Amino acid sequence: MSTKNKYIWIFILVLIVLSSISIFIFHPYFRIKQIAYNQQNYISNQNLNKHLNKYLEKNIFLTMFRNSIKKELLKTLHQIADISTSIKLPNTIKLKIKEKKPLVSFIAPQKTLLISQDGTILNNEIENVRIDNLDKIMIIRGIPLKYLQGIKITPLLLSKITTILNLLEKYFPNNSFQIEFLSFELDKKHQFQDRIIIWKNDTMPIKLGN
């Protein structure tokens, strides 16, 4: 094969590759028509669709390559722990969303909040939710509602609760307890001043304090 013919074949090959890529990127056949996902406990379909609808009619391959949907949902919907994505050709993206699990339940006036291990308030959006591991969730009472606002509880409160849970697990493993704060305030040094009763089976009090 002469050098001239060789370059001609290389040119043709490159042209075929570029044409194929253009078809996959620009052809309407590969535009997203549907984004399917599993049912969630703490996120409404309306809220999910608000984030997902903007990706409809975009190229399915570019969207998956950039990981755009996963990045946006993890950034904006804090109840989500992880997301796996897959393609069903020609135009459907399938999401498997894994939500964070509740660690404790704060019972406040007129409201019950489920808190994950990283302090995320899970049910700000949907209050009546189905809980699979209800028997493993610590119930906490007496925390003023002003400390339970926003996306997450404060790191200081989370550290306080985590310390108590770790101590109970260490010294009283495989027991069910409820925590009641008789007083709970943040002082001028940004330290919590509190008095605590730990209830075993709602009947046996164990008093704790600073």
Side-chain angles (χ1 to χ4, degrees), residues 46-72:
Q46 181 182 3
N47 196 8
L48 268 174
N49 291 334
K50 180 181 70 175
H51 293 280
L52 297 176
N53 285 344
K54 68 180 71 174
Y55 295 99
L56 296 177
E57 297 301 325
K58 292 191 175 183
N59 180 265
I60 195 167
F61 298 109
L62 284 179
T63 301
M64 288 294 289
F65 177 76
R66 294 168 179 166
N67 213 12
S68 305
I69 294 176
K70 181 175 180 178
K71 288 178 181 177
E72 174 167 348

Side-chain angles (χ1 to χ4, degrees), residues 87-139:
I87 289 178
K88 183 180 179 181
L89 291 176
N91 52 28
T92 299
I93 289 181
K94 302 178 82 173
L95 306 179
K96 187 174 182 181
I97 301 173
K98 181 181 179 182
E99 292 180 308
K100 297 174 183 177
K101 294 183 178 180
L103 177 67
V104 298
S105 173
F106 285 130
I107 298 180
Q110 300 179 342
K111 202 168 189 179
T112 297
L113 297 175
L114 298 169
I115 313 297
S116 68
Q117 191 170 8
D118 69 346
T120 300
I121 300 175
L122 297 174
N123 61 325
N124 259 342
E125 183 179 342
I126 301 176
E127 292 190 16
N128 298 320
V129 296
R130 175 180 56 83
I131 305 172
D132 294 328
N133 58 335
L134 183 60
D135 58 324
K136 297 181 181 179
I137 297 175
M138 179 77 70
I139 295 175

Side-chain angles (χ1 to χ4, degrees), residues 17-210:
V17 171
L18 291 177
S19 299
S20 300
I21 293 174
S22 297
I23 290 173
F24 280 111
I25 292 178
F26 298 110
H27 198 288
Y29 186 69
F30 297 112
R31 290 177 184 171
I32 300 171
K33 300 296 182 183
Q34 181 183 11
I35 302 176
Y37 51 83
N38 53 310
Q39 187 65 39
Q40 304 306 304
N41 260 343
Y42 309 114
I43 307 168
S44 67
N45 291 348
Q46 181 182 3
N47 196 8
L48 268 174
N49 291 334
K50 180 181 70 175
H51 293 280
L52 297 176
N53 285 344
K54 68 180 71 174
Y55 295 99
L56 296 177
E57 297 301 325
K58 292 191 175 183
N59 180 265
I60 195 167
F61 298 109
L62 284 179
T63 301
M64 288 294 289
F65 177 76
R66 294 168 179 166
N67 213 12
S68 305
I69 294 176
K70 181 175 180 178
K71 288 178 181 177
E72 174 167 348
L73 294 186
L74 287 175
K75 182 179 179 180
T76 56
L77 301 177
H78 301 275
Q79 302 97 325
I80 297 177
D82 195 18
I83 304 172
S84 59
T85 58
S86 60
I87 289 178
K88 183 180 179 181
L89 291 176
N91 52 28
T92 299
I93 289 181
K94 302 178 82 173
L95 306 179
K96 187 174 182 181
I97 301 173
K98 181 181 179 182
E99 292 180 308
K100 297 174 183 177
K101 294 183 178 180
L103 177 67
V104 298
S105 173
F106 285 130
I107 298 180
Q110 300 179 342
K111 202 168 189 179
T112 297
L113 297 175
L114 298 169
I115 313 297
S116 68
Q117 191 170 8
D118 69 346
T120 300
I121 300 175
L122 297 174
N123 61 325
N124 259 342
E125 183 179 342
I126 301 176
E127 292 190 16
N128 298 320
V129 296
R130 175 180 56 83
I131 305 172
D132 294 328
N133 58 335
L134 183 60
D135 58 324
K136 297 181 181 179
I137 297 175
M138 179 77 70
I139 295 175
I140 300 174
R141 299 182 178 90
I143 303 290
L145 199 57
K146 64 181 179 180
Y147 296 112
L148 304 175
Q149 305 293 329
I151 296 170
K152 291 186 174 183
I153 63 175
T154 66
L156 201 59
L157 176 56
L158 179 61
S159 176
K160 178 80 174 180
I161 298 302
T162 302
T163 299
I164 295 173
L165 294 180
N166 289 339
L167 287 173
L168 289 175
E169 180 63 28
K170 180 178 180 180
Y171 294 107
F172 305 99
N174 303 317
N175 280 280
S176 176
F177 293 97
Q178 297 82 41
I179 301 173
E180 182 177 0
F181 285 86
L182 301 178
S183 62
F184 190 91
E185 288 297 334
L186 192 64
D187 64 19
K188 294 180 180 180
K189 297 181 180 180
H190 297 284
Q191 297 294 323
F192 284 121
Q193 302 298 321
D194 54 61
R195 290 188 303 120
I196 301 172
I197 294 181
I198 296 179
W199 296 89
K200 186 178 186 302
N201 300 325
D202 283 326
T203 57
M204 184 184 299
I206 306 172
K207 293 187 179 181
L208 298 178
N210 290 334

